[in-house]
Amino acid sequence: MTIAQMSWGLMKYPVNDPRLKEFLDSLSEVYRLAEEHKGFLWRIPDEVIAAELAACGFDGRMSATVSVWRSLADLHDYTFNSLHGVYLKRTSEWFEKVEGPQLVVWDVEEEARPSFIEAWERLQELKRNGPSQRGYGWKR
């Protein structure tokens, strides 16, 4: 079954802060590797997700990705066994610790193109009610 995912974080500093430079400079390569990874189907482009975050009232410190993958195993492999995993181990340098889940996954049809708002609502349901058909984490 194809899955969609949304992950998010709250950056410690404004995007123009030099302490975020290494992280921000890595994004184009990390996204390129995702798009070339086995199982990747689609992600919300940077400018679209930035507009959606702003429309929802989030400040510029929130970072989020929404993407569609052929399987949870493909997403897991990319997340932990690529350059993404190297940076993931360093998230405490750039991101605040937040309460609740930072990842939500749900089953979709291959052609699904979920919005950030849909994904955020699913994440909030996961946070309130735990794993369900509407959203889960690495395990159901």
Side-chain angles (χ1 to χ4, degrees):
M1 172 56 82
T2 306
I3 57 106
Q5 74 83 35
M6 190 272 290
S7 58
W8 74 283
L10 185 61
M11 292 181 284
K12 288 182 173 182
Y13 317 105
V15 293
N16 59 353
D17 190 297
R19 293 171 285 188
L20 286 177
K21 184 173 179 6
E22 181 183 1
F23 168 73
L24 294 172
D25 286 352
S26 75
L27 290 179
S28 61
E29 177 68 6
V30 168
Y31 290 151
R32 184 188 65 75
L33 291 171
E35 292 167 1
E36 292 176 357
H37 196 278
K38 176 178 104 28
F40 174 87
L41 296 171
W42 172 85
R43 78 175 175 91
I44 295 179
D46 294 346
E47 61 279 359
V48 173
I49 201 148
E52 289 188 28
L53 289 167
C56 291
F58 292 104
D59 68 23
R61 289 182 32 223
M62 183 165 176
S63 174
T65 61
V66 177
S67 56
V68 177
W69 294 77
R70 291 201 191 283
S71 72
L72 188 61
D74 289 331
L75 173 63
H76 188 277
D77 183 59
Y78 165 73
T79 300
F80 297 104
N81 299 321
S82 72
L83 181 62
H84 181 278
V86 172
Y87 284 103
L88 188 62
K89 290 176 184 170
R90 297 177 57 196
T91 55
S92 64
E93 294 177 39
W94 304 301
F95 288 89
E96 310 236 354
K97 186 164 180 61
V98 296
E99 290 294 319
Q102 290 185 266
L103 169 77
V104 63
V105 177
W106 66 100
D107 299 340
V108 295
E109 296 298 322
E110 188 170 311
E111 59 280 347
R113 300 299 180 256
S115 68
F116 168 77
I117 294 167
E118 176 189 354
W120 185 254
E121 289 170 353
R122 289 174 180 272
L123 181 90
Q124 296 311 306
E125 288 179 38
L126 174 62
K127 185 176 182 178
R128 280 191 308 273
N129 306 321
S132 72
Q133 291 280 51
R134 297 265 312 143
Y136 50 93
W138 289 115
K139 297 180 182 179
R140 285 194 206 224

